[in-house]
Amino acid sequence: MSEPRLRAKELDAADGLAAQRAEFLLDEGGGGSGGEAVYLDGNSLGALPAAVPGRLEDVVRRQWGELRIRSWTEEGWWTAPERIGDRIAPLVGAAAGQIVVGDSTSVNVFKAVVGAVRLARSADTAAGPVGSAGPVRDEIVVDATTFPTDGYIAESAARMTGCTLRPVPPSGVPDALGDRTAAVLLNHVDYRTGRLHDLPALTAAVHAAGAYVVWDLCHSAGALPVGLDEHGVDLAVGCTYKYLNGGPGSPAYLYVRAELQDRFDSPLPGWNSHAEPFGMRPEYAPAPGALRGRVGTPDILSMLALEAALDVWDGGVTIEAVRAKSLALTDFFLECVEAYVPEGRVECLTPRAHGERGSQIALRCPDAGDVMKRLIERGVVGDFRHPDVLRFGFTPLYVGFADVERAARVLADVLAEPGT
């Protein structure tokens, strides 16, 4: 047995999270000709938690099928958005009452960015008479490397609020801020490279400029500590189908810091966020707290599947332990790639420094699309990002060190094949 395989066996034996793997339904025999399947695409879609199918069957057959409309009250459907938000809160370092679940990430980005501009302008108005608080805040700064949808939404929000949109790489954000900056939209982890950006420092820089920050946590929540409350983040959004394993299209969430909730003015004031939703009044009055982030009727089936998926975090699993294993997995993967793959065949785009790395490894490879296709055929599932990036996501709750070693070994085999 080669040295990396022996090392993998030792690391798995010492893994304090190894038992969590049983909480997921994994296709252990789905690895094609190469043996067991290795699923390294949890940064796109998390694996299925074992508790979800039975819970959903109960929701469909009993709650919907038998209780029907009574389930809104008797089974707690109505309060699901904030109840599930409170379960997500500890995973992103937030106290209860600041997260509401619902809608897609894109919709929540729109709410948050427009809401941030309105917060900035209301703060300036409160500072003194018109014209005494300095220039009008009419600029939105957006991460120039962001996932495309965030850029599209930011552009639309800029048009709606009469702002100029300014794309800036995260490293350049502090120097780009000024007294016209209203809102800044940033990604905690870069979706292509896996680079982890400095949330505490960037948040502090935005606040020093008198602006409000919105963080996209899609590639960090459930994989590493975030510290929303600790670092004074204003607003944050995130999806739940990646490291939170909520299932395809599971609802996203919106965080609004408690101190800002009474001034948060959502651009989508739906009946579900009304202070008296069943009053059916023509005038809108926002609900107190994070509830004003709700819009329409909750997506109950997806929402309750997510609630069941969050059970995997019960029983003492901490985000700190998950982060420690994530770093160990990604370190070991890079070691195995260096041991198996000929030098120069791939280039690592993910930072080596722990403080700059999320929970994925991105490798640049000229024929990445074909390589990933061959990897999947051999049971190693990652994904490909145009034009030349292989992405491997490491979900510590169900990925082991033997998985990591096998993935690197199969990658080397594929790269050694004719035509690659």
Side-chain angles (χ1 to χ4, degrees):
M1 187 179 289
S2 66
E3 178 60 29
R5 296 179 76 175
L6 285 171
R7 177 77 174 133
K9 189 174 181 180
E10 294 171 354
L11 290 168
D12 278 330
D15 179 12
L17 292 177
Q20 295 303 120
R21 188 181 181 108
E23 299 294 320
F24 294 85
L25 298 178
L26 300 169
D27 183 10
E28 302 289 4
S33 61
E36 292 185 354
V38 177
Y39 189 66
L40 299 181
D41 209 8
N43 53 323
S44 283
L45 176 63
L48 173 63
V52 171
R55 193 77 58 83
L56 266 183
E57 182 174 11
D58 178 70
V59 171
V60 171
R61 293 187 180 278
R62 184 182 65 85
Q63 297 182 33
W64 179 15
E66 297 176 14
L67 295 178
R68 291 178 285 276
I69 200 167
R70 292 161 52 195
S71 287
W72 283 106
T73 53
E74 294 181 22
E75 295 296 328
W77 287 3
W78 183 257
T79 58
E82 58 266 33
R83 182 178 72 243
I84 301 171
D86 284 347
R87 292 192 65 182
I88 292 172
L91 302 180
V92 293
Q98 299 176 101
I99 294 179
V100 64
V101 174
D103 307 310
S104 67
T105 304
S106 302
V107 171
N108 283 317
V109 168
F110 180 72
K111 294 180 207 172
V113 173
V114 174
V117 173
R118 292 175 175 179
L119 283 167
R121 289 175 176 172
S122 69
D124 279 356
T125 299
V130 175
S132 67
V136 174
R137 293 191 177 268
D138 58 359
E139 180 181 81
I140 296 172
V141 173
V142 63
D143 179 350
T145 63
T146 190
F147 187 77
T149 290
D150 283 21
Y152 306 154
I153 295 293
E155 183 179 9
S156 179
R159 292 199 307 270
M160 178 178 179
T161 58
C163 287
T164 298
L165 185 66
R166 187 177 181 187
V168 178
S171 61
V173 165
D175 291 335
L177 301 171
D179 56 8
R180 304 190 76 95
T181 308
V184 181
L185 172 61
L186 297 167
N187 289 267
H188 197 194
V189 174
D190 186 290
Y191 80 100
R192 287 189 186 89
T193 67
R195 176 179 289 277
L196 173 65
H197 297 303
D198 192 341
L199 181 147
L202 288 170
T203 298
V206 172
H207 289 167
Y212 290 78
V213 69
V214 179
W215 282 96
D216 183 329
L217 309 178
C218 284
H219 286 268
S220 57
L224 54 90
V226 177
L228 293 178
D229 287 354
E230 177 185 358
H231 302 301
V233 168
D234 302 309
L235 301 113
V237 301
C239 66
T240 61
Y241 48 79
K242 299 182 190 295
Y243 297 109
L244 297 180
N245 309 296
S250 58
Y253 56 89
L254 170 68
Y255 164 91
V256 182
R257 182 156 55 91
E259 295 84 349
L260 301 177
Q261 290 174 359
D262 62 347
R263 291 197 292 121
F264 177 67
D265 182 7
S266 173
L268 297 173
W271 77 285
N272 255 236
S273 65
H274 197 285
E276 192 179 349
F278 292 99
M280 304 302 168
R281 303 185 184 283
E283 303 84 11
Y284 180 73
L291 293 181
R292 62 181 59 193
R294 293 175 63 153
V295 182
T297 305
D299 184 346
I300 292 300
L301 298 183
S302 290
M303 194 165 291
L304 297 187
L306 167 62
E307 185 171 36
L310 292 172
D311 288 352
V312 302
W313 294 93
D314 295 343
V317 177
T318 67
I319 195 66
E320 289 76 19
V322 166
R323 175 58 169 167
K325 183 178 176 182
S326 165
L327 292 171
L329 287 168
T330 48
D331 277 344
F332 186 57
F333 181 68
L334 290 173
E335 292 173 17
C336 291
V337 169
E338 289 174 356
Y340 292 144
V341 176
E343 186 176 354
R345 188 63 181 85
V346 296
E347 174 192 357
C348 183
L349 300 179
T350 308
R352 298 291 181 124
H354 285 184
E356 299 176 7
R357 186 194 309 167
S359 199
Q360 75 179 52
I361 295 294
L363 302 177
R364 174 170 285 151
C365 178
D367 43 0
D370 183 59
V371 169
M372 184 54 68
K373 180 180 178 181
R374 296 188 189 196
L375 283 171
I376 292 171
E377 289 171 351
R378 289 158 177 76
V380 175
V381 182
D383 66 20
F384 160 68
R385 283 294 176 265
H386 184 80
D388 57 2
V389 176
L390 301 169
R391 291 196 319 171
F392 301 95
F394 298 82
T395 304
L397 296 178
Y398 56 77
V399 172
F401 293 91
D403 296 325
V404 168
E405 185 275 336
R406 171 168 159 69
R409 182 160 35 88
V410 173
L411 173 62
D413 291 344
V414 168
L415 292 174
E417 293 173 351
T420 58

